[in-house]
Amino acid sequence: MNKLFGYLLSPLHYIFFFLYLLIFQPIQWLSLKLGGYSTHKKSVDVLNFFLVSSYYLLGTRVSFYNSQNLPKNRSIIFVANHQSMYDIPPLIWFLRKYHAKFISKIELTKGIPSISFNLKYGGGANIDRKDSKQSIIEIARLGERMKKNTWGAVIFPEGTRSKNGKMKDFQIGGIATLLKKAPDALIVPIAIENSWKLVQHGFFPLNAFEHLKFTVLNPIEPKESPLEETITRAQNAIKQIVEKK
């Protein structure tokens, strides 16, 4: 049934999703030129509010649960599982007060209205997965910006998206690089559920009437234990939510 309604509702969702990207391309440009980082960021936040609103045209619900009292005067590394591109707009919108930046593939910095512009000028890290040296340098620079500006970062340590909701083992390399440059950062796990179901059949049709859930879990002080143990702890905390029976 979800797939059947997806045939009907996916075109409507895509029309508005891409319309918002086109509208906000010049808005971002003007915001950056006239108001610098702060104004540009606000335009990106509003864009992602509208992108999330386009999910509702699929009958999709989005719930973001955050009962944690997270600091605003400290860098935060949000560690999340990754299921689809539909993970990203809600994370940008709901984590907007933490200035959460992303580590993205450098290929995405070209050809996509609004998204490519933000990746170029929004302060995140754009990495070439075929060039490990460039990737480390880019992530290190993000860590430096995090420390300087008290920004946050979102990292998907699985490396690739899960196509069936089952998590892959977390890799520590990117987190270790960020912590090397921003050693006072707090690690905060986020569990993402049901995003993979939207694209279960590919990008057409999208499944309709799914319920995307984002749950912010207990923060972890990385200095309290070796990094491998810290990441395993974060992974297990997320897995208890994502793979619960």
Side-chain angles (χ1 to χ4, degrees), residues 57 103 144 162 178:
L57 298 172
I103 299 171
E144 291 171 354
S162 170
L178 290 176

Side-chain angles (χ1 to χ4, degrees), residues 50-140:
F50 282 107
L51 293 181
V52 173
S53 74
S54 74
Y55 296 16
Y56 303 136
L57 298 172
L58 287 164
T60 297
R61 289 187 293 155
V62 180
S63 298
F64 195 93
Y65 307 106
N66 181 11
S67 61
Q68 311 300 327
N69 185 22
L70 301 179
K72 297 180 184 178
N73 58 348
R74 182 178 180 184
S75 297
I76 298 176
I77 301 173
F78 294 98
V79 177
N81 61 305
H82 193 21
Q83 296 187 345
S84 80
M85 74 170 193
Y86 287 95
D87 299 340
I88 296 174
L91 290 171
I92 295 175
W93 171 245
F94 289 107
L95 298 176
R96 61 193 181 277
K97 63 183 176 181
Y98 304 107
H99 295 254
K101 309 303 176 184
F102 285 76
I103 299 171
S104 307
K105 295 185 294 184
I106 198 168
E107 295 90 340
L108 298 177
T109 62
K110 297 180 180 180
I112 309 173
S114 286
I115 292 175
S116 295
F117 189 90
N118 182 45
L119 291 179
K120 283 184 179 180
Y121 302 108
N126 302 308
I127 63 171
D128 184 347
R129 290 185 174 181
K130 299 177 182 178
D131 187 340
S132 58
K133 182 178 179 180
Q134 183 270 354
S135 297
I136 293 171
I137 291 173
E138 275 294 301
I139 295 172

Side-chain angles (χ1 to χ4, degrees), residues 135-183:
S135 297
I136 293 171
I137 291 173
E138 275 294 301
I139 295 172
R141 287 174 177 167
L142 172 57
E144 291 171 354
R145 292 191 290 273
M146 289 172 61
K147 182 179 180 180
K148 178 181 178 181
N149 301 295
T150 322
W151 287 351
V154 176
I155 189 167
F156 301 119
E158 291 169 288
T160 58
R161 303 168 188 169
S162 170
K163 296 181 180 180
N164 58 7
K166 297 293 183 182
M167 289 173 55
K168 302 176 176 65
D169 288 337
F170 282 5
Q171 303 169 20
I172 70 170
I175 300 170
T177 302
L178 290 176
L179 283 172
K180 187 174 181 179
K181 297 296 183 178

